[in-house]
Amino acid sequence: MELKSFLDTAVRAAKAAGKLQRERLWSDITIEFKGEINLVTEVDRACEELIVGMLREQYPDHDILAEENDYASLHSNYKWVIDPLDGTTNYAHGFPWFAVSIALEIDGEVQLGVICHPMLDELFTVVKGAGAFLNGRPIHVSQRQPLKNSLLATGFPYDIATDPENNFGHFRNMHLAARGIRRAGAAALDLAYVAAGRLDGFWEAKLKPWDVAAGSLLVMEAGGTVTGYAGEGYSIYNHRIVASNGAIHDEMLGVLQGRG
Ligand code: IPD
Ligand code: CA
Ligand code: CA
């Protein structure tokens, strides 16, 4: 019951931020640089302010982990993990593929999540043990296999030019092993799409907890598998993620480990 009311609050906050994103897309917005290719827009910041404000109003004692600001720890058992705008590069260029991602961790475990895709009016919700949903209807991972018949997604880190762990090698090998790969630019949506059976698998390195908190729980609750690259148990603080329908998971791990 308590989880349900947390979820309701998260849904309201995600929809409010999604609405703002839709309204401001293709308008004149200020863009700043966090790194050479790592952007932040005034809409990222406004959405974070909106979401954190709504959560703080209801739950002033809860901790917040969000992308655009540091929030002092209140030493709560409850921590909201927030990506106010996933897909910032897309947003800044007017490429309409981005999302809001909000999850709640209780005692160190993600218990619920919401991903709002405002341009398609799609809302993915999940509560641990109670399944994954798209606009209120249950969703499931695909059953597609083997890997050569599968459609995958991935992404590349912002320090692609300076760190050899840039995913180029894996991208090449996985492309040769699968039917196709999409790099749409919003990890939360990549994961939501694996959960909904629209993609069969996803992998990426160097994601942050806010990129994956809601999405990884969605995949698991939709019947999929989420691990690290060595097949180890997954935590949102892991450096690397592989999420799939389960049926192609070992084959994906094989490619990432150079066995494929
Ligand atoms: C990014 C997106 C992208 C992924 C990047 C993330 P942001 O998040 O999820 O798909 O490849 O690594 O950082 O910066 O748009 O919130
Ligand atoms: Ca992100
Ligand atoms: Ca973001």
Side-chain angles (χ1 to χ4, degrees), residues 34 38-39 44 67-68 83-90 99 154-158 183-190 202 204-208 210-211:
K34 295 200 273 191
N38 189 359
L39 311 177
D44 296 62
E67 181 168 13
E68 308 306 344
D83 193 336
L85 201 175
D86 186 46
T88 295
T89 307
N90 289 344
T154 191
F156 299 87
Y158 288 120
R183 194 295 190 239
L189 289 177
D190 292 334
F202 166 74
E204 191 162 340
K206 299 192 188 172
L207 289 175
K208 297 290 199 297
W210 46 78
D211 297 311

Side-chain angles (χ1 to χ4, degrees), residues 106-117:
I106 305 178
D107 294 326
E109 273 197 39
V110 180
Q111 295 290 342
L112 60 87
V114 180
I115 294 174
C116 171
H117 187 180

Side-chain angles (χ1 to χ4, degrees), residues 25-26 87-98 119 183-185:
L25 184 68
W26 300 312
T88 295
T89 307
N90 289 344
Y91 196 87
H93 285 258
F95 185 91
W97 192 260
F98 48 83
M119 301 311 285
R183 194 295 190 239

